Amino acid sequence: MASRSSDKDGNSVHTASEVPLTPRTNSPDRRCSSSDTSKSTYSLTRRISSLDSRRPSSPLIDIKPIEFGVLSAKKEPIQPSVLRRTYTPDDYFRKFEPRLYSLGSNSDDVDFLTDAEILSKYQLGMLHFSTQYDLLHNHLTVRVIEARDLPPPISHDGARQDMAHSNPYVKICLLPDQKNSKQTGVKRKTQKPVFEERYTFEIPFLEAQRRTLLLTVLDFDKFSRHCVIGKVAVPLCEVDLVKGGHWWKALIPSSQNEVELGELLLSLNYLPSAGRLNVDVIRAKQLLQTDVSQGSDPFVKIQLVHGLKLVKTKKTSFLRGTIDPFYNESFSFKVPQEELENASLVFTVFGHNMKSSNDFIGRIVIGQYSSGPSESNHWQRMLSAHRTAVEQWHSLRSRAECDRVSPASLEVT
């Protein structure tokens, strides 16, 4: 009983291996020995506790509790619901882009064909040219050297006289800008023309690398409309512009069937107090060539039509041997303000010809019976800005196109 009381007072617990079993006695020596053992055990416990407190703390590990559940063969994964739109056939065809599946020349994989394969496939001939960029003067030089194996000419309207030889020339531009183009001279009656002509484009170097050089070979015919033989397109980012280089490239078909007729820069100004309609013919550029040897001798005829009646005709002087004429000529027509809404101006560009009738190049109509949205826009801008000159470039149209959309075009020659 005394031993149990001592153990209880000492708050110690011992196993059989820690405390040797001794027979219990009631002698005072035994009680003293039991008390000493309890004290030593308590001291050892405190030392161990102090050592544990000096150990470095272990990192805390966040372990998520494991969830146990009852497995079931019928358990199905739950997925978040997705709202799906139901497409109708109209929606499907609205997303369809026909240009990606067109059967034109652009759909052919010409990028994966060699020049020999392109020449064999299309048989349009080859073009020899070179490029060189001048870092000092910031301009790109394009040299059109020669062409060979061009196909025989094609007549669309049966008016062509010589069906054995072509009269080729080349137009050069840097896409996407097709307005500032250059044009070689026409080489008469040959399928292997030699041009040897150089043209420069004022353009920064970084901008030049973003452009595509387009060379279009055309066939000139005085008695029929010019036709496109073929083209070569070279992305300038793929060539060393500073080092330069020469290339023989096979011509591929062009989707541009109609040859551009040129552009005309006009200025309109109306003075209500004087009842005067002032017209400035400033310049033209890239006009269709009408003479195989000298280019063109272009002039502009301006005709005032009131309703469907021709009232007045005036014309500029003609400039010899150019397709980019500068006129800077002014004309004035008397048009009372109450008659202005019924007035139309017909501008026709001709190539001067002393031996026969003048060669038609192109036409536009501005006014009541405008030949297109651009012409109508120019007229409306003039009406809303009295006493102020309004300038605008216009693309020339064919006679047939103007006659089809503008009654005023039918009243003039």
Side-chain angles (χ1 to χ4, degrees):
M1 292 294 293
S3 177
R4 291 179 182 177
S5 175
S6 175
D7 292 341
K8 188 175 181 179
D9 293 339
N11 297 326
S12 61
V13 179
H14 305 289
T15 62
S17 61
E18 294 174 348
V19 182
L21 297 177
T22 55
R24 298 180 180 179
T25 60
N26 295 328
S27 63
D29 295 336
R30 289 294 179 184
R31 286 195 296 270
C32 292
S33 175
S34 176
S35 178
D36 293 341
T37 301
S38 298
K39 291 179 179 179
S40 62
T41 302
Y42 177 74
S43 176
L44 179 61
T45 303
R46 292 186 61 185
R47 290 177 64 186
I48 292 174
S49 299
S50 64
L51 290 175
D52 290 340
S53 63
R54 296 176 185 177
R55 293 177 182 175
S57 59
S58 301
L60 296 178
I61 302 176
D62 185 14
I63 302 177
K64 295 183 179 180
I66 301 175
E67 298 181 0
F68 296 92
V70 179
L71 298 177
S72 175
K74 297 181 179 181
K75 184 176 180 180
E76 297 180 356
I78 300 176
Q79 299 293 340
S81 60
V82 179
L83 297 177
R84 299 183 181 275
R85 178 183 173 185
T86 303
Y87 286 94
T88 63
D90 292 338
D91 295 329
Y92 175 80
F93 287 107
R94 190 177 296 115
K95 300 171 74 66
F96 179 77
E97 299 185 26
R99 64 179 179 83
L100 299 179
Y101 306 92
S102 62
L103 298 178
S105 61
N106 293 332
S107 64
D108 296 330
D109 297 329
V110 294
D111 293 337
F112 303 99
L113 300 178
T114 64
D115 286 311
E117 292 172 334
I118 295 175
L119 182 62
S120 176
K121 182 175 183 179
Y122 299 111
Q123 298 181 359
L124 295 177
M126 301 190 73
L127 183 65
H128 188 197
F129 62 96
S130 68
T131 61
Q132 177 78 52
Y133 190 85
D134 188 340
L135 289 173
L136 182 62
H137 300 94
N138 289 328
H139 67 246
L140 175 69
T141 300
V142 179
R143 178 185 170 204
V144 182
I145 304 172
E146 60 181 322
R148 70 184 185 197
D149 301 328
L150 297 181
I154 299 175
S155 179
H156 296 275
D157 52 11
R160 191 181 185 101
Q161 294 181 347
D162 185 359
M163 297 300 297
H165 303 93
S166 298
N167 301 310
Y169 64 98
V170 182
K171 294 189 72 172
I172 310 104
C173 67
L174 298 178
L175 297 177
D177 181 15
Q178 298 190 56
K179 302 298 183 182
N180 298 318
S181 59
K182 312 290 183 180
Q183 180 175 313
T184 69
V186 178
K187 303 302 175 182
R188 301 186 61 181
K189 297 184 178 182
T190 178
Q191 308 308 116
K192 47 181 181 180
V194 177
F195 298 102
E196 283 295 348
E197 299 184 30
R198 297 173 183 266
Y199 301 92
T200 60
F201 294 87
E202 302 290 338
I203 184 172
F205 179 73
L206 294 180
E207 178 63 23
Q209 290 184 312
R210 292 191 285 265
R211 299 294 186 92
T212 296
L213 174 63
L214 177 65
L215 301 105
T216 307
V217 182
L218 303 102
D219 183 17
F220 171 89
D221 185 72
K222 183 178 181 63
F223 303 100
S224 178
R225 67 181 178 88
H226 301 195
C227 66
V228 179
I229 297 176
K231 68 177 182 179
V232 172
V234 180
L236 296 181
C237 61
E238 299 178 359
V239 301
D240 190 339
L241 293 178
V242 177
K243 183 179 179 181
H246 293 251
W247 296 275
W248 274 101
K249 291 290 185 179
L251 297 173
I252 63 174
S254 174
S255 58
Q256 179 186 357
N257 295 323
E258 293 290 338
V259 178
E260 295 182 358
L261 304 177
E263 293 185 274
L264 187 63
L265 178 59
L266 302 172
S267 175
L268 302 179
N269 178 23
Y270 184 72
L271 302 177
S273 57
R276 306 297 297 184
L277 177 59
N278 299 323
V279 178
D280 294 336
V281 180
I282 302 173
R283 60 170 295 198
K285 65 179 181 181
Q286 292 301 300
L287 297 178
L288 184 69
Q289 189 166 337
T290 59
D291 191 283
V292 69
S293 58
Q294 298 181 358
S296 295
D297 299 332
F299 69 93
V300 182
K301 181 186 288 187
I302 309 102
Q303 296 169 289
L304 174 64
V305 178
H306 184 263
L308 296 178
K309 180 181 178 181
L310 177 61
V311 177
K312 195 73 174 179
T313 298
K314 299 184 179 183
K315 63 181 179 179
T316 69
S317 57
F318 68 90
L319 302 180
R320 293 186 178 276
T322 179
I323 60 173
D324 300 298
F326 284 82
Y327 296 105
N328 288 321
E329 298 185 29
S330 299
F331 305 90
S332 182
F333 298 90
K334 184 172 180 59
V335 181
Q337 190 169 7
E338 61 272 12
E339 298 179 2
L340 185 61
E341 62 179 10
N342 297 323
S344 298
L345 289 171
V346 181
F347 297 87
T348 309
V349 182
F350 290 95
H352 180 71
N353 193 328
M354 297 184 64
K355 297 181 180 180
S356 61
S357 60
N358 295 323
D359 302 313
F360 178 89
I361 295 179
R363 172 179 291 173
I364 60 168
V365 182
I366 301 177
Q368 179 188 16
Y369 298 114
S370 293
S371 54
S374 174
E375 295 87 328
S376 178
N377 177 63
H378 194 181
W379 184 256
Q380 294 301 323
R381 288 170 58 204
M382 183 207 69
L383 294 178
S384 61
H386 287 172
R387 302 181 181 86
T388 302
V390 180
E391 291 185 6
Q392 185 169 321
W393 280 99
H394 296 278
S395 296
L396 296 175
R397 305 174 185 270
S398 66
R399 190 197 303 269
E401 182 179 0
C402 290
D403 291 348
R404 185 172 63 252
V405 299
S406 174
S409 178
L410 296 171
E411 302 302 317
V412 301
T413 56

